[in-house]
Amino acid sequence: MRRKGFTLVELLVVIAIIGILIGLLLPAINAAREAGRRMSCSNNLKQWGLSLLNHESSYGYFPEGVTYGTKGDSSVVSGGAVGANAQYQRYSFVVNLWPFFESGSLAKQYDFGYTFYSPQNLPLTGYSNPIYYCPSDRWGIWKGDQYAGRRRCNFVVSWGYCDFTQKLPSAARPNNLMIGAFGPNHKTKLREVTKGTSHCLAMAEVVQSPSDAAFDLRGDFFNSGPGCAQFMSRYTPNSNFDTLECVSQGALDTCQTNRSDVYAISRSKHPAGVNTVFCDGSTIFISNEIDADVWKSLSAKNDGATVNANAY
């Protein structure tokens, strides 16, 4: 009389087959999850783009990329002038956009006489909002020095083909034609975007420092300092090195500490490219393989070129 059941060999074969099937399915599952994260990331950028347009509609200009010193002060690198409360008036575009993405109460409480890291303002810059982040990265917070508590982020504004002070490399076109739509202490009006808003980058992704405790300025987007709230198009997405302050950290495979010639590169944790939003509010995923000259042109507000970003 035969016994009913599985032999050990049959059981092992079944387990092996199930393991192979799971192994085949996992990449597809991970790809589907990443596609969802990328879409959510793009939606967050879309909200930033709409906020920029609403700001322009309300005031007649886009917000300053960063404010460094008192209003109208042209000093950028040295620290600017001292405000009425004996602190440098330093903040980024984020504060000015708060009223346009349901954070108006934060904007009403913010004291522009103090810095972004002052005790008066730190509870506000420390408030967490999902719109700050791409789901493929983490929800970071600055803990790199004694002014800990403000949020890091994944979205920054476009500076153009230049360094932090918006000095152009020697190979750039003349007359500042490669400067971006945002800059230090400058409010860009739509008429300055002469190439058309659909051809000019407004914002793109960056990857935060992998450690909150590191003095690593990548993703420190409330900070008005070099390399914090902006990206430059000197190099194509996810390529080369960022050159900014990124010390007190372990592996710095994509960052080299530099204080004088700052370039921050658009990066993401998506395969193959980065999410971007243009000055007309359109969101486009741009490939890492984009031609370097096209990428530089897309970041410029008045170089005269009208390349089609959807082709890249």
Side-chain angles (χ1 to χ4, degrees):
M1 179 174 159
R2 297 183 61 186
R3 295 181 179 178
K4 296 181 180 180
F6 293 104
T7 66
L8 179 60
V9 172
E10 290 171 329
L11 180 61
L12 291 174
V13 169
V14 170
I15 292 172
I17 292 172
I18 293 173
I20 292 170
L21 291 174
I22 291 173
L24 293 172
L25 285 172
L26 278 177
I29 293 171
N30 289 335
R33 287 176 175 171
E34 170 52 29
R37 289 191 290 264
R38 196 181 100 181
M39 180 61 69
S40 178
C41 188
S42 177
N43 288 339
N44 284 349
L45 254 181
K46 182 72 173 180
Q47 293 303 309
W48 283 106
L50 292 174
S51 298
L52 287 170
L53 289 172
N54 286 332
H55 186 283
E56 194 282 330
S57 178
S58 297
Y59 297 106
Y61 52 82
F62 289 128
E64 297 172 346
V66 297
T67 301
Y68 219 115
T70 56
K71 207 168 188 179
D73 180 19
S74 61
S75 178
V76 176
V77 177
S78 64
V82 175
N85 293 300
Q87 288 195 8
Y88 294 121
Q89 293 178 314
R90 295 178 53 190
Y91 53 94
S92 73
F93 69 96
V94 184
V95 175
N96 286 320
L97 290 185
W98 272 341
F100 302 100
F101 55 83
E102 299 180 356
S103 294
S105 61
L106 299 180
K108 291 177 181 177
Q109 297 175 66
Y110 193 89
D111 191 333
F112 289 91
Y114 291 88
T115 63
F116 63 90
Y117 56 80
S118 70
Q120 291 82 355
N121 291 325
L122 196 57
L124 308 175
T125 57
Y127 180 80
S128 182
N129 190 322
I131 197 176
Y132 295 167
Y133 306 106
C134 179
S136 297
D137 205 351
R138 62 195 191 86
W139 287 40
I141 190 168
W142 177 268
K143 296 181 181 178
D145 58 17
Q146 68 269 34
Y147 305 112
R150 61 185 179 272
R151 293 289 164 176
R152 297 180 188 258
C153 81
N154 291 112
F155 307 116
V156 295
V157 290
S158 172
W159 236 236
Y161 180 49
C162 56
D163 65 6
F164 175 71
T165 63
Q166 295 200 316
K167 176 183 176 182
L168 282 77
S170 58
R173 299 183 188 183
N175 302 321
N176 290 344
L177 293 183
M178 302 299 283
I179 295 298
F182 298 87
N185 296 343
H186 181 73
K187 304 177 178 71
T188 298
K189 298 178 175 63
L190 279 185
R191 67 172 178 267
E192 294 180 57
V193 188
T194 57
K195 66 189 297 180
T197 55
S198 63
H199 302 288
C200 180
L201 280 165
M203 298 181 69
E205 289 183 80
V206 291
V207 173
Q208 302 171 50
S209 165
S211 169
D212 284 336
F215 195 94
D216 187 330
L217 298 182
R218 291 175 293 176
D220 186 22
F221 79 154
F222 280 107
N223 192 337
S224 61
C228 301
Q230 62 281 141
F231 78 96
M232 297 80 166
S233 61
R234 181 163 186 173
Y235 302 109
T236 52
N238 292 305
S239 68
N240 217 286
F241 290 91
D242 299 282
T243 55
L244 46 85
E245 287 192 80
C246 49
V247 298
S248 304
Q249 184 180 304
L252 295 174
D253 57 333
T254 58
C255 193
Q256 296 178 343
T257 295
N258 192 339
R259 298 186 182 185
S260 60
D261 195 24
V262 172
Y263 294 94
I265 299 167
S266 177
R267 301 187 186 281
S268 80
K269 293 195 172 182
H270 313 302
V274 295
N275 283 306
T276 65
V277 65
F278 282 69
C279 289
D280 66 344
S282 60
T283 54
I284 300 175
F285 186 78
I286 292 184
S287 168
N288 294 335
E289 304 304 317
I290 187 171
D291 180 81
D293 288 334
V294 172
W295 179 241
K296 294 169 188 174
S297 178
L298 289 174
S299 75
K301 66 183 177 183
N302 60 350
D303 69 335
T306 54
V307 293
N308 182 5
N310 280 299
Y312 300 93

